[in-house]
């Protein structure tokens, strides 16, 4: 098993230390804020890149996941779910140019960790070891969730990755960050009032606000009755319609620490899907900009 790790290191030329990766972390962190882009930060779209590059995993045949960074290849870049992620990939290419020794899979997943932590979220343990693969590693379209569907679909998609109901709800809390774009998914608007701050507001809003169908020409989505400035997808609302999911929404709405703890665990697990343990040199690190 160590042989594979050694081969991976050989391919990279040498083994890099935590301090080397911390420099990459700092370079990503330094460029998160982008005046004029969305709500002023690239963090949300970098989290989405990390998630979509990992969420293709299928535990049945061990295909997909973050190992090979296959979204670099046209077929996967063009999967409908990945619309707009070219913005995140192009941005991360500038970091890659400055640190050419890092693999794309490590870079994109580290980007997700930086984005969550620098937006005020929990520390997410992370370690390097992913290797760049080939176009034949691209998985078929349809492995990421379809926002128009409901609880059965969520379970079908996330159980395939190896997650349970609690982890599905915790991961969904990432929608505290960011917004939907009509030219990417067709949906429109942010989930929370502070879309560049990682918090449990997604859950408090899901629990407390009255939501109604938005009347518009776009795809079916919900709006909050009071301000009509927030949105929920049909898959988001499934978390309060389904009893087993709702139990965890209530816990996370009440207890932000519980959400942070569970999110950190589930997100770290997500980012390692499809990576053979033998490619990791040791335990995960806690990175950060102290
Ligand atoms: Fe998501 N997500 N997501 N999401 N997601 C969108 C944006 C963002 C679904 C659909 C959409 C997760 C789960 C789900 C983020 C993180 C995560 C958009 C809008 C759609 C649609 C894209 C656009 O128009 O720009 C669905 C469906 C699910 C589900 O079924 C569970 C998970 C698990 C995560 C995660 O990171 C762990 C983030 C962040 C965004 C905001 C992106 C942005 O540019 O802003």
């Amino acid at each position: 098993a160590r042989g594979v790790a050694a081969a991976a290191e050989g391919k990279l030329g040498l083994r890099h230390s935590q301090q080397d990766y911390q420099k990459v972390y700092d370079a990503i962190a330094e460029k998160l804020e982008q005046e004029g882009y969305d709500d002023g930060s690239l963090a949300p779209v970098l989290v989405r890149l990390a998630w979509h590059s990992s969420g293709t995993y299928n535990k049945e045949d061990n295909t997909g996941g973050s190992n090979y960074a296959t979204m670099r290849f046209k077929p996967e870049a063009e999967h409908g779910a990945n619309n707009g992620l070219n913005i995140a990939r192009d941005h991360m290419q500038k970091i890659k140019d400055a640190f050419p020794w890092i693999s794309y899979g490590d870079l994109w997943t580290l980007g997700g960790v930086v984005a969550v932590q620098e937006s005020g979220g929990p520390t997410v343990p992370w370690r390097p070891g992913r290797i760049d693969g080939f176009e034949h590693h691209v998985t078929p379209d349809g492995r990421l969730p379809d926002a128009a569907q409901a609880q059965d679909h969520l379970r079908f998609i996330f159980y395939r990755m190896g997650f349970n109901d609690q982890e599905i709800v915790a991961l969904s809390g990432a929608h505290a960050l960011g917004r939907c774009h009509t030219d990417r998914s067709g949906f429109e608007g942010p989930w929370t009032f502070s879309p560049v701050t990682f918090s449990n507001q997604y859950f408090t809003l899901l629990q407390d606000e009255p939501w109604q169908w938005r009347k518009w020409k776009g795809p079916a989505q919900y709006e909050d009755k009071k301000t009509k400035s927030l949105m929920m997808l049909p898959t988001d609302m499934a978390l309060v319609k389904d009893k087993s999911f709702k139990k965890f929404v209530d816990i996370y709405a009440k207890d932000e620490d519980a959400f942070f703890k569970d999110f950190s665990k589930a997100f770290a697990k997500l980012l390692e899907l499809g990576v053979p343990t033998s490619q990791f040199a040791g335990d995960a690190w806690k990175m950060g900009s102290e």
Side-chain angles (χ1 to χ4, degrees):
R2 290 288 308 128
V4 182
E9 284 157 18
K11 224 178 142 191
L12 299 173
L14 70 154
R15 184 152 160 193
H16 289 83
S17 65
Q18 184 172 351
Q19 283 88 332
D20 294 321
Y21 287 96
Q22 185 60 49
K23 285 185 190 133
V24 184
Y25 180 111
D26 294 342
I28 299 169
E30 199 188 322
K31 292 199 170 66
L32 278 183
E33 283 180 30
Q34 298 277 324
E35 219 181 308
Y37 175 77
D38 272 3
D39 304 287
S41 171
L42 286 168
V45 81
L46 294 188
V47 172
R48 184 169 165 243
L49 174 65
W51 136 239
H52 281 206
S53 67
S54 310
T56 54
Y57 184 63
N58 181 355
K59 68 174 184 183
E60 300 308 329
D61 61 5
N62 206 27
T63 57
S66 66
N67 197 27
Y68 297 130
T70 43
M71 209 196 294
R72 288 170 299 138
F73 303 111
K74 210 172 160 206
E76 187 169 331
E78 289 182 350
H79 288 170
N82 292 331
N83 280 350
L85 286 179
N86 56 307
I87 294 165
R89 291 194 307 275
D90 290 350
H91 176 75
M92 291 305 256
Q93 185 59 46
K94 293 181 222 153
I95 310 287
K96 170 79 176 168
D97 292 342
F99 303 92
W101 47 265
I102 194 171
S103 72
Y104 281 95
D106 282 344
L107 179 65
W108 293 350
T109 53
L110 180 57
V113 170
V114 175
V116 166
Q117 295 186 178
E118 299 301 314
S119 303
T123 303
V124 180
W126 177 91
R127 51 188 171 172
R130 295 158 195 78
I131 54 174
D132 293 336
F134 300 96
E135 188 167 332
H136 69 254
H137 293 119
V138 170
T139 47
D141 198 0
R143 288 197 175 185
L144 292 163
D146 169 3
Q149 300 205 45
Q151 47 268 45
D152 290 353
H153 174 73
L154 282 183
R155 291 200 168 91
F156 174 74
I157 293 285
F158 283 89
Y159 286 3
R160 189 208 67 225
M161 296 177 215
F163 290 114
N164 61 28
D165 287 0
Q166 173 260 312
E167 292 169 313
I168 293 172
V169 178
L171 287 172
S172 302
H175 283 170
L177 292 178
R179 57 171 58 244
C180 295
H181 306 77
T182 47
D183 58 337
R184 300 183 196 172
S185 60
F187 299 97
E188 184 179 55
W191 289 268
T192 66
F193 289 111
S194 48
V196 298
T197 305
F198 197 94
S199 72
N200 70 338
Q201 203 184 99
Y202 169 82
F203 297 112
T204 55
L205 290 165
L206 259 182
Q207 194 187 49
D208 298 343
E209 289 307 308
W211 296 91
Q212 62 190 18
W213 287 108
R214 176 175 173 183
K215 291 193 183 71
W216 74 319
K217 290 208 173 79
Q221 67 174 64
Y222 293 85
E223 66 184 3
D224 70 304
K225 218 170 175 169
K226 284 188 208 145
T227 72
K228 296 183 161 62
S229 63
L230 304 177
M231 69 94 60
M232 287 288 167
L233 300 164
T235 40
D236 295 311
M237 288 306 281
L239 302 183
V240 284
K241 290 187 174 160
D242 181 278
K243 269 207 185 108
S244 163
F245 286 147
K246 172 81 163 39
K247 194 173 77 193
F248 299 108
V249 171
D250 292 344
I251 293 173
Y252 298 146
K254 252 199 237 82
D255 185 349
E256 188 172 65
D257 289 346
F259 167 52
F260 274 27
K261 211 167 126 251
D262 287 355
F263 180 84
S264 167
K265 259 199 206 149
F267 195 58
K269 173 174 161 180
L270 172 72
L271 300 184
E272 294 195 354
L273 293 180
V275 189
T277 315
S278 59
Q279 282 178 216
F280 293 121
D283 290 341
W285 300 326
K286 288 186 174 169
M287 318 274 289
S289 47
E290 254 81 47

